[in-house]
Amino acid sequence: MDANHAEPRRSSRGGAFVARTFAVHVRTCPELVWTALTDPDKTAEFLYGLAAHSTWIPGAEIGFRRGDRVELTGRVLHSRCHERLSYVLQSGPDDPPVYLTWLIRPAPGGCTIRLEIDEVDHADSPEDAEDVWLPILAALQHLLNPG
């Protein structure tokens, strides 16, 4: 797994934001990666037990559920099947949004999954970000490459 930390910048609205990128290689096809990112039964296996429910069309709502309880909400920003999925999520209406973009690129022996995270107004430290996102990528990699 690869982690790349960017310096804090200013958003177009004047607030501070931090962009981070994490990447992993998996030995499978983009279609199976897409299914893992969009099927609630699969997302629950790598997103700390959260099942992501959505139609995955731009503008659609996303509910990240644990059982019957919605833990996070979001909205799909961009969806290009088997290539790119972008959404914004929040844990509550007063919490700062987090923008996630999953990029899937065919590579020798499988494909590369790159996760780009943009945090606005309140960014985690590099260590906290790694503590949250690296286990997600490791669990996704294990889901797609068992054994």
Side-chain angles (χ1 to χ4, degrees):
M1 257 173 278
D2 180 37
N4 178 7
H5 305 290
E7 294 297 317
R9 295 181 277 187
R10 303 299 268 170
S11 72
S12 60
R13 295 183 296 167
F17 78 94
V18 173
R20 303 187 197 286
T21 301
F22 300 97
V24 66
H25 182 269
V26 292
R27 296 180 314 272
T28 193
C29 63
E31 294 81 6
L32 291 178
V33 175
W34 185 262
T35 298
L37 296 175
T38 58
D39 180 313
D41 292 331
K42 302 289 186 197
T43 62
E45 293 187 47
F46 68 90
L47 285 176
Y48 297 109
L50 296 173
H53 294 267
S54 181
T55 61
W56 304 109
I57 59 173
E61 292 184 5
I62 310 168
F64 294 86
R65 299 181 187 149
R66 184 172 286 118
D68 292 336
R69 182 177 168 183
V70 175
E71 301 280 337
L72 299 169
T73 59
R75 184 174 42 86
V76 178
L77 301 173
H78 183 90
S79 179
R80 189 168 50 235
C81 194
H82 308 145
E83 294 179 22
R84 178 180 174 174
L85 181 61
S86 299
Y87 51 85
V88 59
L89 59 88
Q90 286 182 278
S91 58
D94 297 328
D95 292 322
V98 176
Y99 295 84
L100 300 180
T101 297
W102 297 91
L103 296 165
I104 307 163
R105 181 180 55 81
C111 59
T112 299
I113 304 168
R114 191 169 73 220
L115 173 59
E116 297 175 351
I117 305 146
D118 296 308
E119 297 176 289
V120 180
D121 295 329
H122 177 76
D124 291 332
S125 71
E127 295 81 12
D128 287 344
E130 288 176 356
D131 289 348
V132 170
W133 298 107
L134 288 178
I136 288 172
L137 279 175
L140 177 58
Q141 186 179 39
H142 180 75
L143 172 68
L144 293 167
N145 298 322

